[in-house]
Coordinates of all heavy atoms in Angstrom, one line a residue:
A1 N -16.4 19.0 -16.7 CA -16.8 20.0 -15.7 C -16.6 19.4 -14.3 O -16.5 18.2 -14.2 CB -18.2 20.5 -15.9
G2 N -16.7 20.2 -13.3 CA -16.4 19.7 -11.9 C -15.0 19.6 -11.5 O -14.1 19.8 -12.3
T3 N -14.8 19.2 -10.2 CA -13.5 19.1 -9.6 C -13.3 17.9 -9.0 O -14.2 17.3 -8.5 CB -13.2 20.3 -8.7 OG1 -14.1 20.3 -7.6 CG2 -13.3 21.7 -9.4
A4 N -12.0 17.4 -8.9 CA -11.7 16.2 -8.0 C -10.3 16.4 -7.4 O -9.4 17.0 -8.0 CB -11.8 15.0 -9.0
R5 N -10.2 15.9 -6.2 CA -8.9 16.0 -5.5 C -8.6 14.6 -5.0 O -9.5 14.0 -4.4 CB -8.9 17.0 -4.3 CG -9.1 18.4 -4.7 CD -9.2 19.3 -3.6 NE -7.8 19.6 -3.0 CZ -7.0 20.4 -3.4 NH1 -7.2 21.1 -4.5 NH2 -5.8 20.4 -2.8
V6 N -7.4 14.1 -5.2 CA -6.9 12.8 -4.7 C -5.7 13.0 -3.9 O -4.8 13.7 -4.3 CB -6.7 11.8 -5.9 CG1 -6.1 10.5 -5.3 CG2 -8.0 11.6 -6.6
A7 N -5.7 12.5 -2.7 CA -4.5 12.7 -1.8 C -4.2 14.1 -1.6 O -3.0 14.5 -1.4 CB -3.3 11.9 -2.3
G8 N -5.2 14.9 -1.7 CA -5.1 16.4 -1.5 C -4.7 17.2 -2.7 O -4.5 18.5 -2.5
Y9 N -4.6 16.6 -3.8 CA -4.2 17.4 -5.0 C -5.2 17.3 -6.1 O -5.9 16.2 -6.3 CB -2.9 16.8 -5.5 CG -1.6 17.1 -4.7 CD1 -1.3 16.1 -3.7 CD2 -1.0 18.2 -4.8 CE1 -0.3 16.4 -2.9 CE2 0.1 18.4 -4.0 CZ 0.5 17.5 -2.9 OH 1.5 17.7 -2.1
D10 N -5.4 18.4 -6.8 CA -6.3 18.5 -7.9 C -5.9 17.6 -9.1 O -4.7 17.7 -9.5 CB -6.4 19.9 -8.3 CG -7.6 20.1 -9.4 OD1 -7.3 19.9 -10.6 OD2 -8.6 20.5 -9.0
V11 N -6.9 16.8 -9.6 CA -6.4 15.8 -10.6 C -6.1 16.5 -11.9 O -5.5 15.8 -12.9 CB -7.6 14.7 -10.9 CG1 -7.8 13.9 -9.6 CG2 -8.8 15.5 -11.3
V12 N -6.5 17.8 -12.2 CA -6.2 18.4 -13.4 C -5.0 19.4 -13.2 O -4.0 19.2 -13.9 CB -7.3 19.2 -14.0 CG1 -6.9 20.0 -15.2 CG2 -8.5 18.3 -14.3
A13 N -5.1 20.3 -12.2 CA -4.0 21.2 -12.0 C -2.8 20.6 -11.4 O -1.6 21.1 -11.7 CB -4.5 22.3 -11.1
D14 N -2.9 19.6 -10.6 CA -1.7 18.9 -10.0 C -1.6 17.4 -10.4 O -1.3 16.6 -9.5 CB -1.9 19.1 -8.4 CG -2.1 20.5 -8.0 OD1 -1.3 21.4 -8.4 OD2 -3.0 20.7 -7.2
A15 N -1.8 17.1 -11.6 CA -1.9 15.8 -12.1 C -0.6 15.0 -11.7 O -0.7 13.8 -11.3 CB -2.0 15.8 -13.7
E16 N 0.5 15.6 -11.9 CA 1.9 14.9 -11.6 C 1.9 14.5 -10.1 O 2.4 13.5 -9.7 CB 3.1 15.7 -12.0 CG 3.2 15.8 -13.5 CD 3.3 14.5 -14.3 OE1 3.9 13.6 -13.8 OE2 2.5 14.4 -15.2
E17 N 1.5 15.4 -9.2 CA 1.5 15.1 -7.8 C 0.5 14.0 -7.4 O 0.8 13.1 -6.6 CB 1.1 16.4 -7.0 CG 2.1 17.5 -7.2 CD 3.5 17.1 -6.5 OE1 3.4 16.3 -5.6 OE2 4.5 17.7 -6.9
V18 N -0.6 14.0 -8.2 CA -1.6 12.9 -8.0 C -1.0 11.5 -8.4 O -1.0 10.5 -7.6 CB -2.9 13.1 -8.8 CG1 -3.8 11.9 -8.7 CG2 -3.7 14.4 -8.2
K19 N -0.3 11.5 -9.6 CA 0.3 10.3 -10.1 C 1.3 9.8 -9.1 O 1.5 8.5 -9.0 CB 0.9 10.5 -11.4 CG -0.1 10.9 -12.5 CD 0.7 11.2 -13.8 CE -0.2 11.6 -14.9 NZ 0.4 12.0 -16.1
R20 N 2.0 10.6 -8.3 CA 3.1 10.1 -7.4 C 2.4 9.4 -6.2 O 3.2 8.7 -5.4 CB 3.9 11.2 -7.0 CG 4.7 11.8 -8.0 CD 5.7 12.8 -7.5 NE 6.6 13.5 -8.5 CZ 6.3 14.7 -9.1 NH1 5.3 15.4 -8.6 NH2 7.0 15.1 -10.0
R21 N 1.1 9.6 -6.0 CA 0.5 9.1 -4.7 C -0.6 8.1 -5.0 O -1.3 7.7 -4.0 CB -0.1 10.3 -4.0 CG 0.9 11.2 -3.5 CD 0.4 12.6 -3.1 NE 1.4 13.4 -2.5 CZ 2.4 14.1 -3.2 NH1 2.4 14.1 -4.5 NH2 3.2 14.8 -2.4
I22 N -0.7 7.6 -6.3 CA -1.7 6.6 -6.5 C -1.1 5.4 -7.2 O 0.0 5.5 -7.8 CB -2.8 7.2 -7.4 CG1 -2.3 7.6 -8.7 CG2 -3.5 8.3 -6.6 CD1 -3.4 8.0 -9.8
S23 N -1.9 4.3 -7.3 CA -1.6 3.2 -8.1 C -2.9 2.6 -8.7 O -3.9 2.8 -8.0 CB -0.9 2.1 -7.4 OG -0.4 1.1 -8.3
L24 N -2.9 2.1 -9.9 CA -4.0 1.6 -10.6 C -3.9 0.3 -11.0 O -3.0 -0.1 -11.7 CB -4.4 2.5 -11.7 CG -5.5 2.0 -12.7 CD1 -6.9 1.9 -12.0 CD2 -5.6 3.0 -13.9
T25 N -4.9 -0.7 -10.7 CA -4.9 -2.0 -11.2 C -6.1 -2.1 -12.0 O -7.3 -1.9 -11.5 CB -4.9 -3.1 -10.1 OG1 -3.7 -3.0 -9.4 CG2 -4.9 -4.5 -10.7
G26 N -6.0 -2.4 -13.3 CA -7.1 -2.4 -14.2 C -7.9 -3.8 -14.2 O -7.6 -4.7 -13.4
Q27 N -8.7 -4.1 -15.3 CA -9.4 -5.2 -15.3 C -8.7 -6.5 -15.8 O -9.2 -7.6 -15.7 CB -10.7 -5.0 -16.2 CG -11.6 -4.0 -15.6 CD -12.7 -3.6 -16.6 OE1 -13.2 -4.5 -17.3 NE2 -13.4 -2.6 -16.4
S28 N -7.5 -6.3 -16.4 CA -6.7 -7.5 -16.9 C -5.4 -7.4 -16.2 O -4.8 -6.3 -16.0 CB -6.6 -7.4 -18.4 OG -6.0 -6.2 -18.8
A29 N -4.8 -8.5 -16.0 CA -3.5 -8.6 -15.4 C -2.4 -8.1 -16.3 O -2.2 -8.6 -17.3 CB -3.2 -10.1 -15.0
A30 N -1.7 -7.1 -15.8 CA -0.6 -6.5 -16.5 C 0.7 -7.1 -16.2 O 1.6 -6.5 -15.5 CB -0.6 -5.0 -16.2
V31 N 0.8 -8.4 -16.5 CA 2.1 -9.1 -16.2 C 2.7 -9.7 -17.4 O 2.0 -9.8 -18.5 CB 1.8 -10.3 -15.2 CG1 1.4 -9.7 -13.9 CG2 0.7 -11.2 -15.8
D32 N 4.1 -10.0 -17.4 CA 4.8 -10.5 -18.5 C 4.8 -12.0 -18.3 O 5.4 -12.5 -17.4 CB 6.2 -9.8 -18.5 CG 7.0 -10.2 -19.8 OD1 6.8 -11.3 -20.3 OD2 7.6 -9.3 -20.3
E33 N 4.2 -12.7 -19.3 CA 4.1 -14.2 -19.2 C 5.4 -14.9 -19.2 O 5.5 -16.0 -18.7 CB 3.2 -14.5 -20.4 CG 1.8 -14.1 -20.5 CD 0.9 -14.9 -19.5 OE1 1.3 -16.0 -19.2 OE2 -0.1 -14.3 -19.1
V34 N 6.4 -14.4 -19.8 CA 7.7 -15.1 -20.0 C 8.6 -14.9 -18.7 O 9.7 -15.6 -18.6 CB 8.4 -14.8 -21.3 CG1 7.6 -15.0 -22.5 CG2 8.9 -13.3 -21.3
L35 N 8.3 -14.0 -17.8 CA 9.1 -13.8 -16.7 C 8.5 -14.5 -15.5 O 7.3 -14.9 -15.4 CB 9.1 -12.3 -16.5 CG 9.8 -11.4 -17.5 CD1 9.8 -9.9 -17.1 CD2 11.2 -11.8 -17.9
T36 N 9.3 -14.7 -14.5 CA 8.8 -15.3 -13.2 C 8.2 -14.2 -12.3 O 8.2 -13.0 -12.7 CB 10.1 -15.9 -12.5 OG1 10.9 -14.7 -12.0 CG2 10.9 -16.8 -13.3
G37 N 7.6 -14.7 -11.3 CA 7.0 -13.7 -10.4 C 8.0 -12.6 -9.9 O 7.7 -11.5 -9.9
T38 N 9.2 -13.2 -9.4 CA 10.2 -12.3 -8.9 C 10.6 -11.4 -10.0 O 10.8 -10.1 -9.8 CB 11.4 -13.2 -8.5 OG1 11.0 -14.0 -7.3 CG2 12.6 -12.2 -8.1
E39 N 10.9 -11.9 -11.2 CA 11.4 -11.0 -12.3 C 10.4 -9.8 -12.7 O 10.8 -8.7 -13.0 CB 11.7 -11.8 -13.5 CG 12.9 -12.7 -13.3 CD 13.1 -13.8 -14.5 OE1 12.1 -14.1 -15.1 OE2 14.2 -14.4 -14.6

């Protein structure tokens, strides 16, 4: 229940528009151990 808007778009009705305007970093590092920083 309830509503939320991020960057002007509804997170349910306009989910794809929200995804284009956000980024998420979680609690663990999402990096590939065998690659370099540049890679």
